[in-house]
Every structure is written in structure tokens, then in C-alpha cells.
Amino acid sequence: MTVRLAIVVPCYNEEEVLPETNRRLLALLTGLFESELVSADSCVHYVDDGSRDGTWALIESLAAADSRIHGIKLSRNRGHQNALLSGLLSVEGDAIVSIDADLQDDVSVVEAMVREFVGGAEVVYGVRDSRRTDTGFKRNTALMYYGLMRKLGVDLVHNHADFRLLGRRAVEALRQYGEVNLFLRGIVPLIGYRAASVTYDRAERFAGVSKYPLRKMLTFAIEGVTSFSIVPLRLITLLGFLVSGLSFAMILFILYGTLVMGAVIPGWASSVVPIYFLGGIQLLSIGILGEYVAKIYLETKQRPRYFIERTI
Ligand code: UDP
Ligand code: MG
């Protein structure tokens, strides 16, 4: 069986790496075609996520030089997840591999992915063997985050980012998730078709700098929690019960002091401390509630996730 393979590459200001990425992806396609794993009309689609540098012009020239190269230009920057989705939902093919433009993911394991797909897997995750090329900070925060998500009941594939193969059926399933705020890593395991994974060593970014500064990472992390878990809301309820219970015990204690012992010590500490404490808890709880309300607000508007300006 020869697979019609499409490779989707989201690009945001990636003119520095794109020529090398393109060279490797074309070599990969050629190799896969020669070993009769993929069909001749297999191709690469670069999604330009509103880049401000010469990325689109570069994609145009790459497409002009090789008929296997295509481009999708979004109307503006919509973020990695939306860029990826626009590619996944608009390209043809039996199987679609998504990969970052920066060559951190090992291009050569795509062959193993395709073999898994031929063997019957509908989703194939690319899983990093080690994270030694990431900074200690990124590694540790990622580890803590995966742990937290698991505790909150979200099924994430450990050490897997957005390097994966999706079969046609999985892509069609993905199309049915209407969420405006997307966290693909959390959604794909929910699809549930047969999955497999292949491991690889994650390399250093080939050129350019990370397009995920700390601010974007934090937003992305909160997005992941509030999109998939209502456990934080339950925790607030639990906390409410706990604090109410404590207050009740406190009332009993004070009543006992006044009625039986006939005296209470006049102190401001015992009255001021609970005020600060409760104030803090209330603000935190309102904040968490606010996160979910904001999510409802954003989701109910059902705004389109992206606009495709041009395809080549
Ligand atoms: N990216 C994108 N839109 C954005 C930010 C990033 O399409 O707003 C792309 C980027 O070009 C790259 C991929 O998403 O192909 C992953 O980004 P990056 O390598 O900067 O993230 P990191 O590996 O540092 O987490
Ligand atoms: Mg990267």
C-alpha cells in the first residue's frame, strides 16, 4: 500500500531555517517514494502564520521550484495551534504529519510513523527520548505541568508535542471539535482510534529563536487546564466547605469562651488574620471562576479560528 502523505509545517518568522527544513523534507519525501511507501503526489504544505519577515516570499519561491511544495497564507498571526489546524483541515492526503519548522523534531522518524500507519495505527505520536537540548527551566516546568495535568484528569501523551501523524479518519474526527481555543495535544487522545508512538531525540533549534516566550508558554498552559479540566472549580467548592467548617468550629469555641468561661481575650490578631486569609481565598476563587467564565465568553462567540488568505 502506498500512502498519499501530506506534511504540514506551521511557520512564523522562520526564513532562517526554512531553506534547510525544505531540503530535508524533500529528501525525506524522495526517500519514502523510492522505498514505495508514499505516492508520487505526496507533498509538503507550509502554513505562514502571519509572519513579518520574508517567510511567505520564501515559501512562494520554494513552491515555484518544486511541485511537491505548497503554501497556505493566513490573514494574520493566529498562533501555532490555529496555524497547524488550518493546515490539517485543508490539505488532502491519506495521512498528515505535522512538524515544526525549526528542525527540532527528527525528520527521519516520519518513515517509522508511516509504517505504523500502514500497520493500522490511525494516530502516531512522536515522543522525545530526552529533553537534554531544552533548557533546565523548560524541562522542569514541562515535567511539573505534565504531572499537574495528569492529576487533573487530562490524558496527555508524555513528552509529546505537536509532531504526529494523523490518518484521514482522525483528521475528520478532529474537524468535529468546534472549540475556538485549541489545545491539540489534549484533543487528539480523546479521538480514540488506534494509536502508536515512535521515539526520537529532540535536537536544538536549527536556526532562529523560539517563538514561544514565557508569556505564550503560560497562556498555553492555562489554556490546557481550563479547556480540559473542571477540577479547579471543584477544589474551590472543597475549599469553601473546609473554611466554613473551620469557621463553625471557631464560633463554637468563641461561644464556649463567652458563655462558659465568661471571658474572651480582646485581640485584633484573631479578627484580622481571618479577614486577610478569607480575602485571599476569595480573590483566588473568583480568579479561577473568572478563567472559566472567560472561556465560556470566548467559546460562545464561536469566532472563526483563522482565515486563509492565499494557497499555492
Ligand atoms: N509558530 C507559529 N505561530 C506562532 C508561534 C510559533 O506558527 O505564533 C510555529 C513556529 O514557526 C514553529 C512552531 O510553531 O514551527 C513551534 O514554535 P517554536 O519552535 O518557536 O516553539 P518551541 O519549540 O520553542 O516550543
Ligand atoms: Mg521549536
Side-chain angles (χ1 to χ4, degrees):
M1 165 180 165
T2 54
V3 179
R4 182 172 178 200
L5 180 72
I7 300 177
V8 169
V9 190
C11 310
Y12 178 56
N13 297 343
E14 299 285 10
E15 64 178 357
E16 284 166 81
V17 283
L18 219 49
E20 179 62 20
T21 309
N22 189 58
R23 235 184 325 272
R24 295 205 201 168
L25 289 178
L26 281 180
L28 173 86
L29 278 187
T30 308
L32 291 179
F33 174 65
E34 277 164 5
S35 50
E36 292 179 356
L37 214 53
V38 306
S39 66
D41 54 355
S42 295
C43 52
V44 179
H45 294 262
Y46 295 109
V47 181
D48 175 23
D49 186 17
S51 299
R52 268 176 260 270
D53 64 357
T55 300
W56 179 249
L58 189 59
I59 294 172
E60 280 181 322
S61 69
L62 295 174
D66 195 303
S67 62
R68 291 171 293 178
I69 303 297
H70 299 275
I72 298 171
K73 182 174 164 51
L74 299 191
S75 60
R76 53 161 294 176
N77 181 249
R78 296 294 294 128
H80 180 203
Q81 299 287 295
N82 284 312
L84 194 54
L85 194 76
S86 72
L88 291 176
L89 298 187
S90 59
V91 310
E92 293 176 4
D94 307 323
I96 307 179
V97 167
S98 53
I99 188 168
D100 287 353
D102 59 3
L103 295 172
Q104 282 191 287
D105 306 317
D106 183 0
V107 168
S108 64
V109 302
V110 171
E111 174 169 355
M113 286 180 165
V114 176
R115 286 193 195 282
E116 289 283 359
F117 173 69
V118 173
E122 194 61 33
V123 179
V124 187
Y125 300 105
V127 178
R128 302 168 216 180
D129 230 354
S130 73
R131 273 177 170 262
R132 74 193 144 68
T133 53
D134 277 341
T135 59
F137 175 73
K138 195 151 187 169
R139 199 165 45 224
N140 287 324
T141 47
L143 208 67
M144 270 160 47
Y145 186 63
Y146 279 107
L148 175 73
M149 289 295 268
R150 230 192 336 273
K151 284 211 181 69
L152 294 179
V154 187
D155 186 14
L156 285 185
V157 178
H158 193 62
N159 266 344
H160 159 71
D162 283 303
F163 181 30
R164 71 174 82 79
L165 178 148
L166 293 174
R168 180 46 54 195
R169 276 204 298 169
V171 172
E172 291 314 313
L174 192 63
R175 202 186 292 280
Q176 294 182 34
Y177 286 85
E179 282 147 280
V180 178
N181 295 279
L182 257 197
F183 190 68
L184 279 169
R185 255 167 259 192
I187 290 179
V188 173
L190 292 179
I191 294 175
Y193 290 130
R194 203 169 120 191
S197 48
V198 296
T199 51
Y200 66 100
D201 254 338
R202 189 155 162 101
E204 213 109 25
R205 200 171 222 290
F206 184 78
V209 291
S210 171
K211 273 73 187 175
Y212 264 103
L214 187 62
R215 188 176 48 83
K216 268 197 194 172
M217 248 169 77
L218 271 178
T219 315
F220 193 54
I222 294 175
E223 188 77 15
V225 173
T226 53
S227 291
F228 289 91
S229 174
I230 53 162
V231 172
L233 292 177
R234 298 231 173 95
L235 287 181
I236 295 179
T237 317
L238 223 76
L239 198 69
F241 273 120
L242 209 77
V243 173
S244 312
L246 278 177
S247 311
F248 189 67
M250 189 93 148
I251 291 169
L252 288 183
F253 176 72
I254 292 169
L255 279 181
Y256 177 79
T258 9
L259 298 179
V260 183
M261 310 295 284
V264 267
I265 306 124
W268 61 267
S270 54
S271 39
V272 165
V273 169
I275 292 176
Y276 284 133
F277 177 66
L278 289 180
I281 287 187
Q282 281 172 356
L283 280 182
L284 179 70
S285 306
I286 294 172
I288 296 177
L289 279 175
E291 278 294 325
Y292 283 92
V293 174
K295 181 130 287 180
I296 297 169
Y297 168 71
L298 291 172
E299 290 293 338
T300 47
K301 286 198 281 197
Q302 287 292 316
R303 286 192 174 161
R305 296 179 276 203
Y306 53 81
F307 290 112
I308 294 178
E309 190 174 304
R310 202 131 42 97
T311 50
I312 47 172

